[in-house]
Amino acid sequence: MTKSWTLDDMSPQNSRTILITGTGGLGFEDALALARSGADVIIAGRNPTKGADAIRRIKEKVPNASVTLEIVDLGNLASIEALAKRLKETRDHIDVLINNAGVMTPPTRQTTKDGFELQFGTNYLGHFALTGHLLPLLKLGQAPRVVTLSSIAVRSASAAINFDDLQAERGYKPMPVYTQSKLACLMFAFELQRRSEEAGWGITSIAAHPGVSRTDLLHNGPGRRSVQGFLRSFMWFLFQPVAQGALPTLFAATSPEARGGGYYGPDRLSETRGHPTEAQIPRQALEKHVAHNLWEISERLTGISFNAQALAPELSGPGATTIAREA
């Protein structure tokens, strides 16, 4: 990039329908910026109170904003399917899906409604299922994009997909399990681009990460009294503002310069802060055979067949519903 990209460089998003998972932190900043740019924004989150507050705050800042709330629990496959069904009944396309919401390093192993380890199930499998269910709407979008959030944590040399203990049932360590979930997100973004190109889905898949930003993740995961919580509370100056951390995602979602199969993060201090640039891709994320295996396992775990969704009858507008499930 020839210069530092900011919100002033974002092109108008009028008439574009953009779905963002997550009601606070990065998701809120994404929604606010996109609403200001004229997009029809859908915020999807599991907490109705937090979601309503996010809508209220956006409308206070952007009175004419087109922004609505949808309730979904990314740790519950039935909830994800229900969201997709509602959207297929009320929308005739989605132009951009931002897979943003997540949980980070709960101190003890927890599981989703479907029995998956919480971080892997929410951060990765939930978004995998959501993207699959929304494939028909995305295919009908204008220059559709899927932006999936990874993390600077995946640069760890030990980052890996542990197929022998994918759900951390035999050995749960919070940070390695979080890192696995975010590596899976990055590999999913790359594999989705490859499959879209091969099958002619017309969907551009891009990954992004926010560097190190002052979100609520560290407090909501291990807690304020943890080492991470202490750093977040008392060494706040090490973390860039959330609005700054949202820039790589917004660049990936809107910029003509963002390329399919790309990965974007901040440009300064080892990608911890700054303006959007091409991020360093860890070697593990480029292992196509691992990504292929992960995809096949994920389809079995979630019951979603992307090919079946892609071959589903075209939606004819609001009121037309097609949910394709793997037999």
Side-chain angles (χ1 to χ4, degrees), residues 34-70:
L34 291 165
R36 279 180 169 150
S37 74
D40 176 16
V41 176
I42 305 167
I43 301 176
R46 66 183 179 86
N47 187 317
T49 302
K50 286 184 64 177
D53 184 61
I55 298 293
R56 176 188 61 77
R57 290 164 59 203
I58 289 172
K59 290 191 171 181
E60 282 180 354
K61 297 174 183 292
V62 190
N64 63 342
S66 174
V67 56
T68 55
L69 174 67
E70 288 284 352

Side-chain angles (χ1 to χ4, degrees), residues 106-140:
T108 58
R109 184 181 184 274
Q110 301 177 40
T111 58
T112 68
K113 180 77 172 179
D114 304 289
F116 305 130
E117 186 280 319
L118 184 64
Q119 297 180 90
F120 188 76
T122 303
N123 300 350
Y124 169 61
L125 288 175
H127 284 120
F128 181 95
L130 179 63
T131 305
H133 275 302
L134 295 180
L135 198 63
L137 285 174
L138 286 162
K139 286 179 62 186
L140 294 172

Side-chain angles (χ1 to χ4, degrees), residues 31-219:
L32 175 60
L34 291 165
R36 279 180 169 150
S37 74
D40 176 16
V41 176
I42 305 167
I43 301 176
R46 66 183 179 86
N47 187 317
T49 302
K50 286 184 64 177
D53 184 61
I55 298 293
R56 176 188 61 77
R57 290 164 59 203
I58 289 172
K59 290 191 171 181
E60 282 180 354
K61 297 174 183 292
V62 190
N64 63 342
S66 174
V67 56
T68 55
L69 174 67
E70 288 284 352
I71 301 302
V72 66
D73 180 357
L74 289 167
N76 184 335
L77 293 174
S79 177
I80 294 167
E81 183 172 0
L83 169 62
K85 182 178 180 180
R86 292 196 304 273
L87 290 173
K88 290 175 182 179
E89 290 172 345
T90 58
R91 306 278 177 162
D92 57 16
H93 72 282
I94 291 175
D95 298 299
V96 181
L97 168 62
I98 299 178
N99 291 323
N100 163 79
V103 294
M104 182 179 182
T105 60
T108 58
R109 184 181 184 274
Q110 301 177 40
T111 58
T112 68
K113 180 77 172 179
D114 304 289
F116 305 130
E117 186 280 319
L118 184 64
Q119 297 180 90
F120 188 76
T122 303
N123 300 350
Y124 169 61
L125 288 175
H127 284 120
F128 181 95
L130 179 63
T131 305
H133 275 302
L134 295 180
L135 198 63
L137 285 174
L138 286 162
K139 286 179 62 186
L140 294 172
Q142 181 180 6
R145 297 187 184 189
V146 175
V147 180
T148 301
L149 270 287
S150 185
S151 168
I152 196 171
V154 303
R155 289 169 55 178
S156 167
S158 61
I161 305 298
N162 184 1
F163 289 113
D164 292 331
D165 191 18
L166 202 55
Q167 306 297 337
E169 295 172 290
R170 295 197 298 272
Y172 177 78
K173 294 183 179 179
M175 195 62 188
V177 172
Y178 172 76
T179 299
Q180 174 186 248
S181 75
K182 286 300 187 176
L183 176 60
C185 287
L186 183 56
M187 299 182 86
F188 166 66
F190 295 158
E191 183 70 5
L192 178 60
Q193 178 65 26
R194 288 190 288 266
R195 293 186 180 231
S196 178
E197 290 174 352
E198 292 169 1
W201 295 339
I203 295 169
T204 297
S205 177
I206 306 171
H209 79 81
V212 180
S213 302
R214 292 197 288 270
T215 71
D216 292 331
L217 271 183
L218 287 176
H219 280 159

